[in-house]
Amino acid sequence: MLFSSITFLYAFLPIVLLIYYAVPIRLKNFVLLISSLVVYFFGEPKYTLLLLISSLSAFLHGLLIECRSGTKVAKIALTSALTIDIALLGFFKYSDFIIINLNSVLGTHIPLTNVSLPIGISFFTFQTMSYTIDVYRRKVKCSRNIATFATFVSLFPQLVAGPIVRYADVDEELRSRTIRLDGIALGIRRFTYGLGKKVLIANAMGQLCTIFRDSSEQTVLFFWLYAIAFTLQIYFDFSGYSDMAIGLGQMFGFKFPENFNYPYMSRSLTEFWRRWHMSMGGWFRDYVYIPMGGNRVTTVKWLRNILVVWFLTGLWHGASWNFIVWGLMFGVILLAEKLFLNKLVSKAGQVVSHFYVMFIVIISFVIFNANGLGGALNDLSGMFGLAGIPLIRTEDVYQLKSYAIILAIAIFGATSVTKTAVVKLVATPIGAKVAIVLEPISVALILITVTAFLVDGSFNPFLYFRF
């Protein structure tokens, strides 16, 4: 069930909120659990049991790990829990990818499983893995209530596409939380702004990308227009969803971690990855990079650690070689930045450093969104005039003019200029009074406009369902 759907906005969410606010505190987790399972069943009925099995496995292993903490049994239990998590993720997400590559290399004819990808499996698997690891490290106490723990794993605001919420983030709130009117108001505002980013900007950029893919006569300019549009689409799509998730969390009394911090304003790729999908970056840092030794090892092992993390980052996004190349490309460039490139770029000035970051990011997302490595090579060839296609034609100019305003809004919206201006305005006595009036008006206008688009049956996919 998409957050950006009429069913969710005007039927499911209002009903759940009314019931949730009406019931006593001891029943709130139960309401959340049932509603979360309904959301998942609505989108993936046959895999709802898988979500529950994953939750039960982590819950039971957590109990055993804490009960036998510091013993060999705890280590065996942790290994068992992680093996089950990785096996489930590996089978559903990577089995056919492995088979295809084995058949290609060995000349075998192993049949494909053709198993479909359960929605959100990458996210809830990371949550259960981090839970058992944190219990083993004694960073959190294990949950003693299976319903409460299942609520954590299946929590619908962030289940499908993050942010990746760790048990430590919501442990206290799962047991006891206060629902405040100001928190609800902030949640509604955050959710609505995220909804606007998704429906009004990301969807428009997605339409332009679809026009490009459907076109039989592509040009160099059209390739670049597509590349920029997709770079904007994926940001507004994913950050918009994260805003919606965080806003929903606030409505239910939870504080989820931030996931984006204007990454397209970065002046290095290292900074970019501190601002982009922050919950995922933090997960790989804490559960892969640091346990391998981080940067407190020999140079060779440090290089290995970086490349392993970025190989896994690429693979986590999808079972295809273009994702792996995408991840390793960032790994190599980040290594270069740490060794020498940052000094060179910083000396060149802010404009050059920002151009460098965005050029690499745009190229990377073209690879990310390609149909395999062959498709990536074709797209890059088209962008750099190596595909034997024209530089420009009349239709390109038409599309550019048609989308010029929304492209400008998207580019401007990807910066923190508006936020900075609003913060400065609200800091003044007059600005604070103006904000009190304008804020609810802006929220209402966005919701009305989004509703009009959705009722009209506008283009409304969600990119991260694929990952």
Side-chain angles (χ1 to χ4, degrees):
M1 188 184 300
L2 286 171
F3 292 172
S4 55
S5 68
I6 294 296
T7 302
F8 181 86
L9 292 173
Y10 293 105
F12 179 83
L13 183 59
I15 291 171
V16 170
L17 285 173
L18 285 173
I19 296 172
Y20 181 80
Y21 295 146
V23 301
I25 186 66
R26 68 178 184 276
L27 294 178
K28 290 190 186 299
N29 281 350
F30 178 74
V31 172
L32 274 178
L33 175 60
I34 298 302
S35 58
S36 297
L37 292 177
V38 168
V39 169
Y40 199 82
F41 185 85
F42 191 92
E44 201 73 277
K46 64 181 179 181
Y47 287 136
T48 305
L49 182 61
L50 175 67
L51 176 65
L52 294 173
I53 290 172
S54 182
S55 302
L56 181 62
S57 171
F59 174 77
L60 294 176
H61 280 95
L63 288 173
L64 181 57
I65 290 168
E66 185 169 278
C67 179
R68 297 300 183 88
S69 180
T71 69
K72 188 176 181 179
V73 173
K75 192 170 186 177
I76 292 172
L78 174 64
T79 303
S80 172
L82 297 181
T83 300
I84 291 171
D85 284 332
I86 293 170
L88 289 174
L89 181 63
F91 173 74
F92 285 101
K93 191 166 185 176
Y94 303 107
S95 56
D96 280 350
F97 176 65
I98 294 170
I99 291 171
I100 289 170
N101 283 280
L102 283 175
N103 287 342
S104 177
V105 173
L106 302 177
T108 53
H109 300 282
I110 304 170
L112 300 179
T113 64
N114 291 317
V115 64
S116 58
L117 180 66
I119 293 174
I121 188 171
S122 297
F123 291 90
F124 69 71
T125 299
F126 268 28
Q127 289 184 189
T128 55
M129 289 174 69
S130 66
Y131 167 75
T132 50
I133 293 171
D134 284 349
V135 171
Y136 180 80
R137 292 175 175 175
R138 303 178 189 176
K139 289 188 173 182
V140 296
K141 292 285 186 180
C142 75
S143 174
R144 302 281 174 175
N145 186 309
I146 180 59
T148 300
F149 184 74
T151 301
F152 156 68
V153 177
S154 63
L155 205 55
F156 77 84
Q158 51 78 57
L159 171 65
V160 172
I164 299 170
V165 177
R166 305 184 198 183
Y167 188 74
D169 296 330
V170 293
D171 181 16
E172 292 185 10
E173 292 166 347
L174 281 168
R175 288 184 273 113
S176 178
R177 55 192 174 275
T178 302
I179 311 298
R180 297 169 55 93
L181 285 176
D182 57 348
I184 295 172
L186 288 172
I188 293 172
R189 182 184 70 181
R190 186 70 180 268
F191 177 86
T192 305
Y193 288 166
L195 183 66
K197 288 164 71 174
K198 165 72 182 79
V199 175
L200 304 180
I201 301 179
N203 286 1
M205 295 296 96
Q207 283 181 318
L208 181 53
C209 292
T210 300
I211 291 170
F212 168 79
R213 287 300 186 196
D214 291 342
S215 174
S216 58
E217 299 182 11
Q218 295 164 343
T219 64
V220 174
L221 176 62
F222 209 176
F223 265 104
W224 277 99
L225 188 57
Y226 151 74
I228 293 169
F230 181 75
T231 300
L232 292 167
Q233 181 194 5
I234 196 169
Y235 168 69
F236 282 101
D237 193 271
F238 196 15
S239 69
Y241 188 98
S242 293
D243 286 339
M244 287 188 276
I246 292 168
L248 285 171
Q250 289 174 309
M251 292 182 214
F252 289 106
F254 292 91
K255 186 178 181 180
F256 296 155
E258 293 293 336
N259 217 20
F260 288 86
N261 183 23
Y262 300 103
Y264 292 166
M265 293 187 69
S266 304
R267 294 171 187 167
S268 72
L269 288 176
T270 302
E271 181 186 356
F272 174 83
W273 279 105
R274 290 195 190 109
R275 293 168 171 259
W276 178 277
H277 203 344
M278 296 185 288
S279 63
M280 181 200 68
W283 198 98
F284 276 109
R285 179 196 63 224
D286 294 342
Y287 300 106
V288 180
Y289 182 67
I290 292 176
M292 291 177 68
N295 59 359
R296 297 185 177 185
V297 290
T298 63
T299 301
V300 172
K301 288 184 177 180
W302 173 64
L303 295 174
R304 175 207 63 188
N305 294 347
I306 292 286
L307 293 177
V308 166
V309 165
W310 285 98
F311 170 83
L312 293 175
T313 299
L315 189 63
W316 180 82
H317 279 85
S320 178
W321 281 107
N322 60 298
F323 292 114
I324 295 172
V325 169
W326 174 81
L328 288 175
M329 181 190 81
F330 274 116
V332 171
I333 297 174
L334 289 170
L335 279 172
E337 283 194 350
K338 294 177 188 299
L339 293 172
F340 66 90
L341 192 55
N342 263 347
K343 294 179 181 179
L344 296 176
V345 174
S346 61
K347 288 180 181 179
Q350 294 182 7
V351 174
V352 173
S353 62
H354 185 70
F355 177 82
Y356 145 75
V357 169
M358 289 312 304
F359 178 78
I360 297 297
V361 167
I362 289 170
I363 297 301
S364 76
F365 280 134
V366 169
I367 297 171
F368 183 92
N369 196 46
N371 183 19
L373 282 182
L377 289 172
N378 178 72
D379 290 346
L380 293 175
S381 296
M383 290 174 67
F384 293 99
L386 303 175
I389 56 177
L391 179 65
I392 188 173
R393 61 190 177 92
T394 306
E395 185 180 334
D396 305 341
V397 178
Y398 170 78
Q399 296 297 347
L400 185 57
K401 288 181 178 179
S402 299
Y403 283 88
I405 294 176
I406 190 65
L407 277 167
I409 292 172
I411 292 170
F412 186 76
T415 72
S416 61
V417 173
T418 302
K419 181 180 179 180
T420 302
V422 170
V423 169
K424 289 182 178 179
L425 178 66
V426 173
T428 65
I430 296 176
K433 293 178 181 179
V434 171
I436 291 174
V437 177
L438 291 184
E439 185 178 288
I441 293 175
S442 68
V443 169
L445 286 175
I446 291 172
L447 191 56
I448 291 170
T449 307
V450 164
T451 302
F453 271 76
L454 295 178
V455 169
D456 190 46
S458 298
F459 182 78
N460 189 34
F462 178 62
L463 289 177
Y464 263 73
F465 274 167
R466 291 159 41 190
F467 312 120

